[in-house]
Amino acid sequence: ISDNYYGDFVVPKLKGLYGDASELNALQSILFASNSFPDLLYSINGIFFDRSFSVVQPHDVEKVLFKDRNRIVFKSDSSMQGLGIHFLNNIDGKTDLNPKALGNGVFQRSIDQHLFFQRFHSNSVATIRMTTVTDDSGDA
């Protein structure tokens, strides 16, 4: 079945509000217990948090985000099919960042995709979706 059908109809029927939690980007590194995500900061209800969920003051946000990098990505919660994705740049110490205007989501390092995927689409990072279903005993 298509991923959209699964997400729009099957997950809400089977999982209720727990399925909605997957739309909250700040939870993914916690839910997966992984540091593999390129997360830098989370924006949750106007407050900024680092990866360990310590509060980052608004005047420090740009310093954290653009430390050792000139380009970052902001992904809004529930950003489906590329909607809510913002590329932000810091050029010569000037940034186009207005973090509070972006709403809830995650700031991430910009990813350079592998050349294999670059051949298919060079303007954005290709997405590979994996859908897992568990039975009543919890086996995937």
Side-chain angles (χ1 to χ4, degrees):
I1 62 175
S2 74
D3 190 60
N4 288 346
Y5 180 84
Y6 178 77
D8 290 345
F9 297 99
V10 177
V11 170
K13 178 86 172 160
L14 295 177
K15 305 296 181 191
L17 294 176
Y18 289 97
D20 292 339
S22 66
E23 299 294 327
L24 304 175
N25 290 321
L27 295 179
Q28 63 189 0
S29 62
I30 291 173
L31 291 173
F32 289 101
S34 172
N35 289 325
S36 297
F37 295 99
D39 301 0
L40 298 168
L41 288 180
Y42 306 106
S43 176
I44 304 171
N45 298 331
I47 301 172
F48 301 99
F49 299 90
D50 64 15
R51 290 182 63 106
S52 62
F53 284 90
S54 296
V55 173
V56 175
Q57 296 302 317
H59 62 272
D60 291 327
V61 168
E62 286 188 41
K63 287 185 263 183
V64 172
L65 293 176
F66 293 108
K67 179 184 177 186
D68 303 327
R69 65 191 66 80
N70 292 319
R71 182 180 172 139
I72 60 168
V73 178
F74 179 80
K75 295 180 182 178
S76 298
D77 286 348
S78 303
S79 57
M80 297 202 273
Q81 300 174 343
L83 302 173
I85 305 295
H86 304 275
F87 292 91
L88 305 167
N89 300 294
N90 184 347
I91 301 168
D92 298 326
K94 296 179 182 174
T95 179
D96 48 2
L97 177 66
N98 182 356
K100 289 208 175 198
L102 295 172
N104 292 342
V106 60
F107 293 94
Q108 295 181 325
R109 292 185 316 274
S110 182
I111 298 173
D112 295 323
Q113 70 179 344
H114 191 277
L115 290 175
F116 174 82
F117 295 109
Q118 192 75 9
R119 293 188 321 219
F120 296 103
H121 204 292
S122 61
N123 293 330
S124 66
V125 177
T127 300
I128 298 174
R129 299 194 195 294
M130 295 180 3
T131 302
T132 304
V133 178
T134 56
D135 61 20
D136 290 339
S137 65
D139 293 327

